[in-house]
Amino acid sequence: MPHVKQINHVAVVVDDMDKALSFWRDALGLDLHELRDVPAEKSQVAFLPLHGAEVELVRPTSDDSGIAKYLAKRGAGLHHLCLEVDDIEAMLKQLKAKGVRLINEEPRVAADGKKYAFIHPESASGVLVELYQI
Amino acid sequence: MPHVKQINHVAVVVDDMDKALSFWRDALGLDLHELRDVPAEKSQVAFLPLHGAEVELVRPTSDDSGIAKYLAKRGAGLHHLCLEVDDIEAMLKQLKAKGVRLINEEPRVAADGKKYAFIHPESASGVLVELYQI
């Protein structure tokens, strides 16, 4: 049986990275591990590790990305929840068998080799859930 | 210096607990530790532990609570992010000094003795952030 291991990260969509960092890093005291441009996702991402998990701040760098549209429609705030699993193929198969609507029926592979897939919010209490296998 | 230790929980507001559990517990395989009525918060809460953190599913049991209004306005989905801190009084003081808008300027104490306070989303990239000291 595939298994959810832990929360990998919580992603927050932001419109102003400096303002966001002034809260998450400067006021709350989280560590900024990296601030990276991710052209493939038309965004800039701040990674703030937190005891094996992470808060990720995502700022769209173009108006035509999914995340830019989300920001325009819903405003800044919690965007998705990423769960680490031990076997993403088996988990996707299990979810499909249970009638869960998937955005990615097969895992995608990131530049760093990580496998990931998104579950549709419609099946997940309105939450955009990402699965990671590291 | 006060310190954020880890993500304590991610709370999801749901309108239908059975449907929510059919995803989070039955399809994804999370453990349902407890399903509890919380009359003080006019809600029913499912606690699904995950490697030291937790996913909490919150269903309003009355139409006049804050969470019921949130559900009516925004629909089901991610509601708040709770971070565990080592010293909540010192953290609230630090946040206030940095100009962060707090919902609770002093910690509140839950029935189980846990201290908690909410930060206003306006200061936190649109995220309702809860602080816990256990």
Side-chain angles (χ1 to χ4, degrees):
Chain A
M1 292 273 292
H3 178 69
V4 177
K5 295 168 76 175
Q6 60 172 49
I7 294 175
N8 179 279
H9 64 263
V10 174
V12 176
V13 56
V14 307
D15 53 358
D16 180 333
M17 188 59 84
D18 288 339
K19 199 177 154 200
L21 288 173
S22 80
F23 171 69
W24 297 94
R25 178 192 56 192
D26 304 336
L28 211 48
L30 300 194
D31 227 36
L32 174 61
H33 173 66
E34 197 184 351
L35 183 59
R36 194 198 306 163
D37 272 307
V38 187
E41 292 173 22
K42 298 179 181 174
S43 60
Q44 181 191 42
V45 184
F47 299 88
L48 303 118
L50 200 44
H51 192 68
E54 218 163 41
V55 172
E56 293 188 8
L57 309 175
V58 184
R59 184 182 66 82
T61 50
S62 148
D63 285 344
D64 61 350
S65 63
I67 197 127
K69 284 170 195 161
Y70 182 96
L71 179 62
K73 191 175 166 195
R74 312 253 314 181
L78 290 167
H79 182 262
H80 70 263
L81 171 65
C82 178
L83 303 175
E84 187 186 334
V85 297
D86 58 352
D87 183 340
I88 194 168
E89 278 91 355
M91 181 59 85
L92 292 172
K93 218 170 276 178
Q94 172 175 301
L95 292 170
K96 217 178 158 185
K98 300 268 187 189
V100 170
R101 184 172 167 198
L102 304 172
I103 293 177
N104 309 112
E105 301 220 345
E106 301 293 329
R108 307 190 65 172
V109 183
D112 58 3
K114 224 174 319 197
K115 294 180 183 176
Y116 68 96
F118 283 94
I119 299 169
H120 199 285
E122 191 187 85
S123 286
S125 310
V127 180
L128 179 60
V129 176
E130 182 176 21
L131 302 176
Y132 254 21
Q133 183 184 341
I134 297 173
Chain B
M1 292 272 292
H3 178 68
V4 178
K5 295 169 75 174
Q6 60 172 50
I7 293 174
N8 180 279
H9 64 263
V10 174
V12 176
V13 57
V14 307
D15 53 358
D16 180 333
M17 188 58 83
D18 288 338
K19 198 178 153 199
L21 288 173
S22 79
F23 171 70
W24 298 93
R25 179 192 56 194
D26 304 336
L28 211 50
L30 299 193
D31 228 37
L32 174 61
H33 173 67
E34 197 184 353
L35 182 61
R36 194 197 306 162
D37 272 308
V38 186
E41 292 172 23
K42 298 179 181 174
S43 59
Q44 181 190 41
V45 184
F47 298 89
L48 303 119
L50 201 45
H51 191 68
E54 218 163 40
V55 172
E56 292 188 9
L57 308 174
V58 184
R59 184 183 66 82
T61 51
S62 149
D63 285 346
D64 61 350
S65 61
I67 196 130
K69 284 170 195 161
Y70 182 96
L71 179 63
K73 191 175 166 195
R74 312 252 316 179
L78 290 167
H79 182 262
H80 70 263
L81 171 65
C82 178
L83 303 174
E84 188 186 333
V85 297
D86 59 352
D87 183 340
I88 193 167
E89 278 90 356
M91 181 59 85
L92 292 172
K93 217 170 277 178
Q94 172 174 300
L95 292 170
K96 217 177 157 185
K98 299 268 186 187
V100 170
R101 183 172 167 199
L102 303 173
I103 293 177
N104 309 112
E105 302 220 343
E106 300 293 329
R108 306 190 63 171
V109 183
D112 59 3
K114 223 173 322 197
K115 293 181 184 176
Y116 68 97
F118 283 94
I119 299 169
H120 199 286
E122 192 186 85
S123 287
S125 310
V127 180
L128 179 61
V129 176
E130 182 176 21
L131 301 176
Y132 255 22
Q133 183 184 341
I134 298 173

